[in-house]
């Protein structure tokens, strides 16, 4: 069955800037040298997933396994995207997201939450842990074609205190955590996880734990008596968690936004325009600068696109077969 796939990235990118959505999700352009923030975040997620999966297997070298997963992710994606060390040898400032900082943050992260009141759980059907859970849910038709909302949930854990289930959403950010932790509501990504968990897994979530890691420019203080300071880590400022909940009304309102935005995205796509409207400069310098700033600055100059970007079509590799049952569409794994 043919189907149109929408995920949170398409949804949020289109809301941020229509032209950015076209370049990323219609033209499938990516910067040739990679985007450090995305590569760092992806590697960190891979490491955390490896840690919890191996914890269920009662492996003894959990941190070593996590470090291997971090490095493996970078090698498989953009091995040259991140510098190795926090500093250059001459002490000049370097990209804050480095391999060294990532490994230091991982060590501190596992130490920070070693006594967390959550435990991993096993899916009784698949006998696999609820970690990196790929989902696909039908939510509308467009021109008689089913549209699926897809994504991957970091992990679902059970509270050891009351036995209820929580979605744990891990984020790395260079934004101060006092501000970042306020972004839990309204938050379409979080709400978009509560809905499929109920639809497909029949799990009633108590809420989501917004699990934030601050990526700073802090340099290691080798003279400090605090071990973490020697790694450039502040255990109080660099890690934070906050709980947030969702009601049925919250989900209904999210679905309204999702349908309206999806219709606008697909209708615009069907017009085959040379380019889409730009949200300039508001979207151009969010979180530093847009990955496609050079393209817009030089007004779609083919030489800029050819020299600085590569085509990487996004394909949801975990899914191959689409099956519609009632109003729910699930996609089978390889």
């Amino acid at each position: 069955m043919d189907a149109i796939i929408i995920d949170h990235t398409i949804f949020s990118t289109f809301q941020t800037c229509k032209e950015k959505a076209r370049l990323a999700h219609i033209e499938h352009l990516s910067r040739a040298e990679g985007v450090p923030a995305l590569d760092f975040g992806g590697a960190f997620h891979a490491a955390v997933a490896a840690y919890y999966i191996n914890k269920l297997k009662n492996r003894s070298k959990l941190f070593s396994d996590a470090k291997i997963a971090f490095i493996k992710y970078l090698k498989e994606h953009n091995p040259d995207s991140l510098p190795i060390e926090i500093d250059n040898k001459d002490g000049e400032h370097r990209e804050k997201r480095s391999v060294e900082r990532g490994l230091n943050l991982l060590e501190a992260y596992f130490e920070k939450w070693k006594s967390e009141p959550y435990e991993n759980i096993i899916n009784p059907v698949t006998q696999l842990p609820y970690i990196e859970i790929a989902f696909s849910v039908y939510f509308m038709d467009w021109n008689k074609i089913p549209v699926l909302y897809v994504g991957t949930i970091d992990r679902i854990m059970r509270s050891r205190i009351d036995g209820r289930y929580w979605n744990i959403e891990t984020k790395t950010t260079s934004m101060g955590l006092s501000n970042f932790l306020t972004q839990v509501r309204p938050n379409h990504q979080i709400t978009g996880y509560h809905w499929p968990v109920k639809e497909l897994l029949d799990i009633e979530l108590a809420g989501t734990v917004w699990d934030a890691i601050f990526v700073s420019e802090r340099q290691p203080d080798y003279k400090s008596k605090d071990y973490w300071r020697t790694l450039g880590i502040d255990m109080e400022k660099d890690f934070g968690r906050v709980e947030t909940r969702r009601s049925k009304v919250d989900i209904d309102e999210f679905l309204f936004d999702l349908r309206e935005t999806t219709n606008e995205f697909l209708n615009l796509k069907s017009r085959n325009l040379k380019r889409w409207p730009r949200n300039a400069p508001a979207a151009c310098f969010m979180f530093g600068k847009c990955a496609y700033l050079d393209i817009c600055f030089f007004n779609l100059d083919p030489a800029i696109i050819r020299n600085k970007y590569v085509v990487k079509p996004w394909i949801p590799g975990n899914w191959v077969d689409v099956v519609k049952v009632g109003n729910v569409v699930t996609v089978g794994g390889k």
Side-chain angles (χ1 to χ4, degrees):
M1 179 191 298
D2 291 330
I4 297 170
I5 291 176
I6 298 292
D7 70 349
H8 173 72
T9 302
I10 296 175
F11 176 39
S12 62
T13 303
F14 185 76
Q15 290 188 321
T16 300
C17 176
K18 295 178 176 61
E19 176 65 348
K20 181 177 181 179
R22 184 189 72 83
L23 293 168
H25 305 296
I26 304 300
E27 301 299 330
H28 302 292
L29 295 176
S30 297
R31 290 195 71 89
E33 71 273 22
V35 179
L38 297 180
D39 297 331
F40 185 93
F44 200 95
H45 271 82
V48 172
Y51 178 90
Y52 282 102
I53 289 172
N54 288 319
K55 189 174 183 179
L56 283 173
K57 297 178 180 178
N58 293 316
R59 287 178 60 90
S60 59
K61 298 180 180 180
L62 295 178
F63 181 49
S64 296
D65 293 335
K67 288 194 295 184
I68 291 171
F70 185 92
I71 300 298
K72 181 181 178 182
Y73 180 94
L74 294 177
K75 286 182 176 179
E76 292 177 349
H77 291 77
N78 293 296
D80 299 323
S81 175
L82 303 181
I84 301 299
E85 300 173 339
I86 292 176
D87 274 335
N88 282 320
K89 290 183 179 180
D90 59 8
E92 291 183 0
H93 171 71
R94 188 171 195 168
E95 163 62 47
K96 66 180 67 174
R97 292 174 176 86
S98 65
V99 175
E100 181 183 12
R101 191 180 300 280
L103 297 178
N104 290 348
L105 277 172
L106 280 169
E107 181 182 356
Y109 175 85
F110 297 133
E111 175 65 22
K112 176 75 174 182
W113 304 119
K114 65 182 180 181
S115 299
E116 64 184 357
Y118 308 104
E119 60 186 5
N120 276 292
I121 51 177
I122 297 290
N123 183 324
V125 177
T126 65
Q127 293 302 304
L128 297 174
Y130 283 118
I131 297 173
E132 294 296 311
I133 310 158
F135 67 83
S136 174
V137 186
Y138 166 83
F139 70 98
M140 63 177 280
D141 282 347
W142 184 81
N143 287 350
K144 299 182 179 180
I145 303 173
V147 184
L148 317 179
Y149 187 70
V150 309
T152 303
I153 298 171
D154 291 350
R155 64 188 186 275
I156 299 175
M157 303 183 77
R158 181 191 292 116
S159 169
R160 290 197 298 268
I161 298 174
D162 60 13
R164 302 187 71 186
Y165 295 97
W166 290 83
N167 167 43
I168 314 294
E169 177 63 18
T170 300
K171 294 289 187 183
T172 58
T173 178
S174 59
M175 180 186 296
L177 295 192
S178 60
N179 291 324
F180 188 76
L181 290 173
T182 65
Q183 298 183 10
V184 296
R185 183 185 177 97
N187 185 305
H188 286 321
Q189 185 175 24
I190 291 175
T191 312
Y193 288 157
H194 281 236
W195 164 51
V197 167
K198 178 64 176 177
E199 288 280 321
L200 301 179
L201 301 180
D202 197 28
I203 290 176
E204 194 72 51
L205 289 176
T208 286
V209 176
W210 188 245
D211 175 32
I213 299 94
F214 177 52
V215 184
S216 73
E217 296 180 351
R218 192 182 305 109
Q219 300 302 301
D221 181 0
Y222 300 113
K223 296 180 180 180
S224 176
K225 295 181 180 180
D226 181 343
Y227 170 70
W228 300 110
R229 287 284 183 173
T230 67
L231 301 181
I233 303 293
D234 185 319
M235 291 294 275
E236 298 303 317
K237 295 182 179 179
D238 293 353
F239 306 97
R241 288 180 171 182
V242 64
E243 297 177 357
T244 183
R245 293 165 173 77
R246 294 296 185 270
S247 67
K248 182 180 183 303
V249 175
D250 293 326
I251 293 174
D252 289 343
E253 292 301 315
F254 159 75
L255 289 173
F256 171 82
D257 292 338
L258 180 62
R259 293 188 189 101
E260 291 300 309
T261 300
T262 298
N263 271 314
E264 190 177 359
F265 173 79
L266 295 175
N267 289 336
L268 193 52
K269 178 182 177 183
S270 69
R271 294 174 61 189
N272 294 316
L273 298 174
K274 178 183 178 181
R275 74 166 182 84
W276 293 1
R278 297 178 291 189
N279 182 10
C284 302
F285 302 98
M286 290 177 62
F287 310 112
K289 70 174 183 178
C290 174
Y292 305 100
L293 184 61
D294 291 337
I295 294 178
C296 293
F297 185 88
F298 291 101
N299 297 305
L300 302 177
D301 185 335
I304 294 293
I305 297 175
R306 184 172 57 252
N307 293 331
K308 293 193 173 186
Y309 296 84
V310 294
V311 176
K312 289 184 179 180
W314 176 79
I315 300 173
N318 289 332
W319 305 301
V320 291
D321 300 317
V322 179
V323 180
K324 186 173 183 180
V325 180
N327 69 336
V328 177
V329 175
T330 57
V331 186
K334 289 183 178 179

